[in-house]
Amino acid sequence: IANFYFLIIFLVQVSPDTPTSPITSGLPLFFVITVTAIKQGYEDWLRHKADNEVNGAPVFVVRSGSLVQTRSKNIRVGDIVRVAKDETFPADLVLLSSDRAEGTCHITTASLDGETNLKTHYAVPETAVSQSVSRLESLQAVVECQQPEADLYRFVGRITVTQQGEEIVRPLGSENLLLRGARLKNTKEIFGVAVYTGMESKMALNYKCKSQKRSAVEKSMNTFLIIYLGILLFEAILSTILKYAWQAENKWDEPFYNQKTDQERNSSQILKFISDFLAFLVLYNFIIPISLYVTVELQKFLGSFFIGWDLDLYHEESDQKAQVNTSDLNEELGQVEYVFTDKTGTLTENEMQFRECSINGIKYQEINGKLVPEGMTEDSPDGSEELFLKAVSLCHTVQISYDQTDGPGDPFSHANGFSPQMEYYASSPDEKALVERYLMTFCLSLGEKVLFTKGAESAVLPYTTSGEIDKTRVHVDEFALKGLRTLVVACRHFSADEYQEVDRRLHEARTALQQREERLVEVFNFIEKDLELLGATGVEDKLQDKVQETIESLRLAGIKVWVLTGDKHETAVSVSLSCGHFHRTMNILELVQQKSDRECAEQLRRLARRYNTLAHPFCEISSPRVSKDHVIQHGLVVDGASLSLALREHEKLFMEVCKNCSAVLCCRMAPLQKAKVVRLLKTSPEKPITLAIGDGANDVSMIQEAHVGIGIMGKEGRQAVRNSDYAIARFKFLAKLLLVHGHFYYIRIATLVQYFFYKNVCFITPQFLYQFFCLFSQQTLYDSVYLTLYNICFTSLPILVYSLFEQLVHPHVLQSKPALYRDISKNSLLSFKTFLYWTFLGFCHAFVFFFGSYILMGEDTTLMGNGQVSVSPASLPSSLLFSYSRSCVSVAGLLLC
C-alpha cells in the first residue's frame, strides 16, 4: 500500500507543473522496489532450484521387461517403480513386493507428519511373490482406488489380480500405500505401482500457504501511516485554500516575477484548484517515510541473527542452536501474554522409563531391573500374569534395527532379537519402553486365537467384563497421581467359529469401496467387546531441566501459561504440579467429564460462584461473573469433551472463568482442539498476543494458529520446527527468548518507528511554514538532493545501528527480574499517547528549526513586501533561498543525528 502511494506521488510529479523533481520520489521508490525484488527473486530462485532437484531426481521404472532410469517428474499413474533403501518415494505407490518373502517393508514419514518411528507396510500375497522385473512384467492386475484426497492416513482401494484365469480381489488400505516424501528403511528394495503422482499425491495436496502473521508493531505502524496521511491531506488542503485567500488581493494575484499566461488566466478554477492541491501534496509527501519499510526490514533481518548467535540458547548435547524461520515477528516476542505449551516432549524429555505395573489386581514396581510385587504373592506366575506379559510383548508396532556383522557368530542371534547392535523403533515412546523391558523375557507361543488390546483406560475399560477391574482402576489412578503415563491391557479369546465369523466380516468390510470406514467401525465394535482385563502399565516421562524455573519466570513476567496435552486428567495434573504450573496452595477448579450442555453450563456457574466466594468471602454473589483476585490463585482443569460442550454455547462464561485463573490445564486434547483453544483466546475482545510451543506433528495446528509459534527440536521429528516461527532445543530457553531478546527487539523497533515519524515531521513542517513566506507559490525549501537522501542516507543509518545494538537494560538484569517484561506489555511504547508525544515533539522541533534559522539570519537578508529579494554582496555569498534552506537542513540534521 505504501509503495502504491509513492507510485501515485511519482506519477503526479511527472506532470510538468510540480514543485519538486520526480527523482525525489522515483529514486527512493526504485530503491525500495529493487531491494524487495532482489530479496524475493533470490528466495524464488532457491525454491525453483529445490523444485528441480526433486522433479529431476533419477528413478527406475519397469519398462519393456527391464529397469529404465527416468526423472521423477516423468512418472505416470500405472508405472511400476523401484525404490532402494534410504531413498524417498517419488509418488504415492501401492506396494507390490519387497526383498522380504512376506512382502513387508519399513518406512519413516518424518517429512510428512514429523514422526520418526518406523512404520510397517504390506503387499498383498498375490503380488508379494513378484520380486523380479520379469515376474512384474507378466503380472496382470487392476488397481481401483478413491479420487485423490489430502488425508495422509486414509486410503480406500482394492486390487484384482488375475492368476491362471481366476480373479482374486484384495483390499487396499493405508497400510498398503507408500506416500511420496516418505523414506524406505531397513529394506533393500521395493516395487510399487504409482497411483497418485505430481500434484495429486497426498503430500502435494497438503501444501497450503502459511497464514501471514503480522506483529502488533506492524499494525501500529500502519495506523500511524493513516494518521500521517490525514495530516498530509490537511496541510495540502489548508495550503491550497490559503493560496486562493491570499490571491484574493490583486497585488498578490500576479506579482511582477510570476506573470500568468493567457492559458492560465482562462483555465477552469476547479482544475486549477486540483492542480494546486496535487502540487502541495507532492511538496509535503515526504512527511510519510518511504525508507521506513526498508529500514524495518533490514533491522528485523539483521537482528534475527542475534538469536542464532546466542550461546545461551545453544544445546551442547544435541549440538542444536536456536533457529529463526520468521524474522517479521521478532518484536512480538516482547508482547506475549499467553503461552500455550504441549506437555510430552516439550515440558518433559519424551524419554520413557518403565516404573510400575498392575497385573491381575497386584501392583508391581521395578527395583534394580526386577519386578517386585506389593505384598505377598505366589512365586510362579499364573495364567493372567503370563497373558499380560505376552500382550505387552506382542501388542506393539516396535521394529528392531541392527547392523549386519561379518564373521562367525551365533546364526540365530538376530532371529531371536539378541544383538549388541540392536536398536528399537516404535510408533510411541511408551511402547518402546515396555518392549525393551519385556521383549526378551519369554519365549512366546500361542496355540489359540487371542485378541490383545492396549490403550488408554477411557478407551479400554468400558469394554471389559472380567478381570480385576476395580483394583486395576485404582492402580491406574495411583500411577497417574505419580505423574506416570498409563496404558491398560486386555484380551479376548476366540473359538474357531467366532474367529471364522470375525475373519469373514473383516474381509467384507475391508474390500468394500463404499462406506469402508463405517463398516470397519461396526466390525471392530463387534470384535472389541467382552474383554478380559489383564492389567496396566506405568511409564515415567522425566521433566526437562529448569522447567519449573522457566514457568515461574513467565508467571512473574505477567504471562499466563496454559498446558494443552492429550494425557489423562490425573497424569496431567500431577505433571503440572511437579513442573510448577500448578502450586500446592493453588485452588484447583475442575470442568471434567461433562455429559451435556446443561450440565456443563451449571458446572461453569458453580465454578464462577466458588471463585467469587473464595476471593471475596464476605460479599454476596449476585451474578456468575468471576472477579480477578490477587491474593488467592486459582487453576482450572478441563478435558477435551467438556471443552467441546463449553465452547458450543457457553463460550463467554467459560472465557470469564479462564481469564481469571492464573493457570489452565487442558487434558485429553485432540490436535484441532489445541488450535481451537488458541484461536479462542486470540480472538477474544482483549486481543491478547499468544505463543504456542510444541515438539510434535500434533502441535503444528496450534503453532500455526498462535501469533508466535515455537518448535522444540525434540524426538518426534521436525514437523513442528518446520512450521514454527522460531525453534529452540529446550523449553528452558523460552525464558531468555522472551524476557531478553523479546524485550530488546520490541524497544528497538518501537524507537525506530517513532523516530522515523518524528524526523519526517521535523523535516517537512518547515516546508509547510515556508509557504507563508513565499505566498504559497509551492516553492521548495530544500534542494532535490536533500529530499532524496535525507531519508535514505542522512537519518536512516544512525537509527538502524541504534536499533540493532541498543540494550537499555543488561540481559542479566532482565532475566533476574522478569517483572520488567510487564513494562513493555500491551504495546505500551507504541500507544496512541506515546505516538502523540513524539508527533508533538516533532512539530515543536520543526518550529525551532524554522524560526531559529530565520532569526539567525537577522538583518542580513530581507524579503521585501513586493516579493523581491534584497541581497548584499558583502554579507551574502548566495541567494536567500539557497542560504536559508541550507541553514534549516544543517540545524535539523545536527539535532536529529
Side-chain angles (χ1 to χ4, degrees):
I1 294 177
N3 290 343
F4 179 73
Y5 161 77
F6 283 102
L7 176 62
I8 297 299
I9 295 295
F10 171 74
L11 294 177
V12 172
Q13 285 180 300
V14 172
S15 62
D17 191 20
T18 51
T20 58
S21 168
I23 297 178
T24 59
S25 292
L27 187 61
L29 180 62
F30 175 78
F31 174 75
V32 170
I33 294 178
T34 301
V35 170
T36 304
I38 292 174
K39 175 177 175 289
Q40 295 186 356
Y42 174 70
E43 292 176 349
D44 193 55
W45 176 77
L46 291 179
R47 286 191 291 268
H48 181 70
K49 183 179 178 182
D51 287 345
N52 284 339
E53 290 179 359
V54 175
N55 295 330
V59 295
F60 289 92
V61 297
V62 178
R63 299 254 174 90
S64 302
S66 62
L67 281 176
V68 178
Q69 183 173 333
T70 184
R71 291 186 174 185
S72 174
K73 64 180 181 180
N74 296 329
I75 296 177
R76 298 292 180 264
V77 173
D79 285 344
I80 297 179
V81 183
R82 173 190 176 271
V83 180
K85 181 181 178 182
D86 293 327
E87 291 182 353
T88 58
F89 302 113
D92 290 351
L93 311 173
V94 167
L95 180 60
L96 295 178
S97 64
S98 72
D99 64 313
R100 301 168 184 255
E102 64 274 18
T104 62
C105 72
H106 304 310
I107 70 169
T108 177
T109 58
S111 62
L112 296 174
D113 55 14
E115 296 182 6
T116 56
N117 56 284
L118 291 183
K119 298 177 180 176
T120 305
H121 286 250
Y122 307 89
V124 298
E126 286 71 23
T127 64
V129 296
S130 302
Q131 296 176 304
S132 63
V133 174
S134 59
R135 296 198 64 173
L136 286 168
E137 184 69 18
S138 62
L139 178 65
Q140 295 183 7
V142 176
V143 174
E144 301 171 84
C145 57
Q146 63 186 144
Q147 291 297 312
E149 67 172 20
D151 192 342
L152 296 175
Y153 309 104
R154 184 176 183 271
F155 176 69
V156 178
R158 65 185 176 191
I159 183 171
T160 304
V161 183
T162 303
Q163 290 182 345
Q164 300 175 353
E166 181 183 357
E167 291 187 352
I168 303 174
V169 180
R170 294 290 184 183
L172 296 177
S174 58
E175 69 277 5
N176 308 112
L177 186 67
L178 307 173
L179 297 179
R180 173 187 170 190
R183 189 179 296 272
L184 183 65
K185 306 292 284 187
N186 286 4
T187 309
K188 184 179 179 181
E189 66 175 11
I190 64 98
F191 289 94
V193 58
V195 290
Y196 305 129
T197 62
M199 295 307 295
E200 290 186 344
S201 64
K202 289 184 178 291
M203 183 176 75
L205 291 175
N206 275 276
Y207 292 157
K208 58 181 179 180
C209 295
K210 198 175 181 181
S211 59
Q212 185 67 28
K213 296 182 179 181
R214 297 170 57 202
S215 67
V217 170
E218 186 179 350
K219 295 174 183 176
S220 298
M221 192 166 66
N222 292 337
T223 303
F224 297 163
L225 282 173
I226 294 175
I227 294 175
Y228 269 66
L229 181 61
I231 295 176
L232 170 63
L233 294 174
F234 171 76
E235 290 183 348
I237 294 173
L238 179 62
S239 298
T240 306
I241 294 174
L242 289 177
K243 176 179 180 177
Y244 283 90
W246 208 305
Q247 289 181 351
E249 299 184 29
N250 292 331
K251 65 176 181 178
W252 301 122
D253 187 26
E254 292 189 19
F256 74 93
Y257 55 83
N258 192 20
Q259 294 289 327
K260 295 180 180 178
T261 63
D262 292 336
Q263 183 180 1
E264 290 175 334
R265 294 190 185 99
N266 298 327
S267 61
S268 169
Q269 291 295 320
I270 297 177
L271 292 178
K272 286 172 60 179
F273 186 90
I274 295 175
S275 176
D276 286 328
F277 168 73
L278 292 177
F280 281 115
L281 201 65
V282 169
L283 195 64
Y284 304 147
N285 85 89
F286 281 91
I287 195 173
I288 296 180
I290 186 173
S291 60
L292 171 62
Y293 292 94
V294 176
T295 309
V296 167
E297 288 295 324
L298 283 174
Q299 192 271 346
K300 290 183 176 182
F301 175 72
L302 297 176
S304 64
F305 286 101
F306 291 111
I307 292 180
W309 292 340
D310 191 342
L311 294 179
D312 290 339
L313 303 182
Y314 171 72
H315 190 243
E316 188 173 0
E317 295 178 11
S318 58
D319 190 27
Q320 292 172 331
K321 63 180 182 179
Q323 178 180 321
V324 178
N325 298 329
T326 307
S327 61
D328 293 339
L329 301 174
N330 291 342
E331 65 275 11
E332 203 81 330
L333 295 171
Q335 295 296 296
V336 175
E337 298 173 61
Y338 285 86
V339 168
F340 299 90
T341 175
D342 178 42
K343 184 184 74 66
T344 304
T346 304
L347 300 179
T348 63
E349 290 284 1
N350 202 13
E351 289 183 356
M352 310 301 175
Q353 293 183 350
F354 175 82
R355 292 302 181 202
E356 297 186 52
C357 68
S358 173
I359 305 176
N360 196 27
I362 301 173
K363 189 163 62 173
Y364 294 82
Q365 290 184 339
E366 183 184 39
I367 300 177
N368 297 327
K370 296 182 179 180
L371 284 181
V372 178
E374 185 182 73
M376 299 298 294
T377 60
E378 299 178 2
D379 293 336
S380 60
D382 60 14
S384 298
E385 293 173 354
E386 186 174 348
L387 270 179
F388 173 84
L389 297 176
K390 286 179 179 180
V392 174
S393 302
L394 292 174
C395 188
H396 59 77
T397 59
V398 175
Q399 301 295 330
I400 303 174
S401 175
Y402 48 81
D403 298 329
Q404 296 289 343
T405 56
D406 299 326
D410 182 3
F412 301 103
S413 61
H414 293 316
N416 291 331
F418 296 94
S419 171
Q421 294 84 22
M422 208 163 41
E423 186 174 356
Y424 292 96
Y425 294 92
S427 60
S428 73
D430 305 76
E431 288 194 340
K432 182 179 177 181
L434 293 173
V435 172
E436 286 180 331
R437 177 68 182 80
Y438 286 123
L439 188 59
M440 293 178 288
T441 304
F442 286 92
C443 178
L444 302 172
S445 62
L446 295 173
E448 56 181 338
K449 307 297 184 183
V450 181
L451 165 74
F452 289 122
T453 183
K454 177 178 64 179
E457 87 287 349
S458 59
V460 177
L461 288 180
Y463 302 99
T464 58
T465 56
S466 60
E468 297 291 344
I469 298 176
D470 294 334
K471 290 183 179 179
T472 304
R473 194 189 301 272
V474 172
H475 290 163
V476 167
D477 292 340
E478 291 177 2
F479 295 162
L481 290 174
K482 296 177 182 178
L484 302 180
R485 296 166 61 93
T486 59
L487 288 173
V488 172
V489 182
C491 72
R492 179 184 174 186
H493 298 267
F494 290 103
S495 65
D497 294 338
E498 288 176 332
Y499 182 78
Q500 292 296 330
E501 175 67 12
V502 166
D503 186 55
R504 183 187 62 81
R505 296 181 64 169
L506 270 178
H507 180 75
E508 290 178 356
R510 284 172 173 167
T511 54
L513 286 180
Q514 302 295 329
Q515 298 181 333
R516 178 180 294 184
E517 288 80 2
E518 292 81 356
R519 297 181 67 173
L520 282 173
V521 168
E522 183 180 347
V523 176
F524 290 148
N525 289 334
F526 171 74
I527 297 173
E528 296 171 343
K529 65 179 183 179
D530 300 329
L531 299 177
E532 176 187 349
L533 183 61
L534 299 177
T537 61
V539 176
E540 179 186 22
D541 188 6
K542 290 186 177 180
L543 286 175
Q544 288 187 15
D545 185 33
K546 294 186 178 180
V547 168
Q548 187 169 357
E549 294 87 339
T550 302
I551 292 179
E552 184 61 26
S553 296
L554 296 178
R555 182 178 287 113
L556 292 174
I559 301 173
K560 291 186 176 182
V561 180
W562 288 34
V563 175
L564 312 181
T565 178
D567 276 350
K568 62 173 298 189
H569 170 217
E570 293 81 5
T571 305
V573 171
S574 177
V575 173
S576 285
L577 288 170
S578 61
C579 71
H581 179 237
F582 283 171
H583 290 297
R584 298 288 177 183
T585 57
M586 186 179 288
N587 176 45
I588 306 298
L589 309 176
E590 292 187 350
L591 182 67
V592 295
Q593 297 180 352
Q594 303 301 305
K595 305 299 183 183
S596 64
D597 286 338
R598 181 178 179 182
E599 182 182 344
C600 183
E602 182 57 33
Q603 177 65 8
L604 281 172
R605 295 189 185 95
R606 282 197 297 267
L607 293 178
R609 286 194 294 268
R610 181 183 176 193
Y611 187 104
N612 277 308
T613 303
L614 291 170
H616 308 284
F618 302 105
C619 297
E620 183 178 355
I621 305 301
S622 57
S623 70
R625 179 176 178 83
V626 177
S627 303
K628 182 169 285 189
D629 175 50
H630 300 281
V631 180
I632 302 176
Q633 288 189 334
H634 303 265
L636 175 66
V637 182
V638 57
D639 60 14
S642 302
L643 179 67
S644 299
L645 294 173
L647 299 184
R648 188 179 300 172
E649 295 181 2
H650 317 291
E651 182 178 307
K652 186 176 181 180
L653 184 58
F654 175 72
M655 288 303 302
E656 191 75 21
V657 175
C658 287
K659 288 180 181 179
N660 292 281
C661 291
S662 56
V664 177
L665 170 64
C666 299
C667 53
R668 291 298 189 204
M669 297 286 288
L672 290 179
Q673 280 186 312
K674 292 184 178 183
K676 193 171 183 179
V677 170
V678 175
R679 191 184 309 118
L680 182 66
L681 264 294
K682 178 180 169 184
T683 58
S684 61
E686 293 80 6
K687 297 290 190 297
I689 305 300
T690 59
L691 180 148
I693 180 170
D695 71 316
N698 61 329
D699 303 316
V700 169
S701 55
M702 76 169 181
I703 286 175
Q704 291 182 332
E705 183 64 41
H707 291 93
V708 182
I710 296 184
I712 296 289
M713 303 170 187
K715 299 177 176 61
E716 292 189 15
R718 294 284 171 149
Q719 192 77 348
V721 171
R722 281 195 299 270
N723 287 276
S724 64
D725 304 305
Y726 302 88
I728 53 180
R730 287 294 183 270
F731 182 81
K732 65 180 179 180
F733 296 150
L734 182 63
K736 184 170 187 183
L737 189 64
L738 299 185
L739 304 183
V740 178
H741 289 284
H743 197 283
F744 285 157
Y745 284 136
Y746 177 73
I747 289 180
R748 291 166 180 171
I749 196 132
T751 307
L752 170 69
V753 171
Q754 297 281 30
Y755 174 81
F756 255 87
F757 286 108
Y758 156 79
K759 71 181 181 64
N760 276 44
V761 169
C762 293
F763 183 55
I764 292 302
T765 302
Q767 180 74 77
F768 172 72
L769 296 175
Y770 181 61
Q771 296 306 302
F772 288 88
F773 292 85
C774 67
L775 302 182
F776 296 93
S777 58
Q778 299 149 5
Q779 294 296 314
T780 177
L781 179 62
Y782 306 111
D783 189 84
S784 296
V785 175
Y786 283 111
L787 289 174
T788 304
L789 298 181
Y790 177 79
N791 277 319
I792 295 179
C793 297
F794 294 166
T795 55
S796 61
L797 296 180
I799 189 62
L800 176 60
V801 175
Y802 175 93
S803 65
L804 288 175
F805 299 104
E806 170 63 14
Q807 293 187 2
L808 193 62
V809 184
H810 196 277
H812 293 308
V813 177
L814 292 176
Q815 279 189 284
S816 60
K817 297 182 179 180
L820 293 174
Y821 191 85
R822 299 171 182 258
D823 297 341
I824 61 170
S825 62
K826 303 288 186 182
N827 202 13
S828 59
L829 298 186
L830 286 177
S831 64
F832 195 69
K833 180 180 178 181
T834 310
F835 166 72
L836 290 179
Y837 167 76
W838 278 83
T839 303
F840 177 75
L841 200 63
F843 279 113
C844 290
H845 288 176
F847 275 81
V848 172
F849 298 156
F850 183 86
F851 291 105
S853 301
Y854 184 82
I855 295 172
L856 284 175
M857 291 182 180
E859 302 296 330
D860 291 337
T861 60
T862 303
L863 182 63
M864 300 175 64
N866 61 2
Q868 291 178 320
V869 179
S870 174
V871 180
S872 174
S875 60
L876 290 177
S878 58
S879 68
L880 168 64
L881 290 179
F882 182 84
S883 174
Y884 181 63
S885 63
R886 296 307 183 274
S887 62
C888 280
V889 171
S890 299
V891 174
L894 178 63
L895 292 176
L896 288 174
C897 295

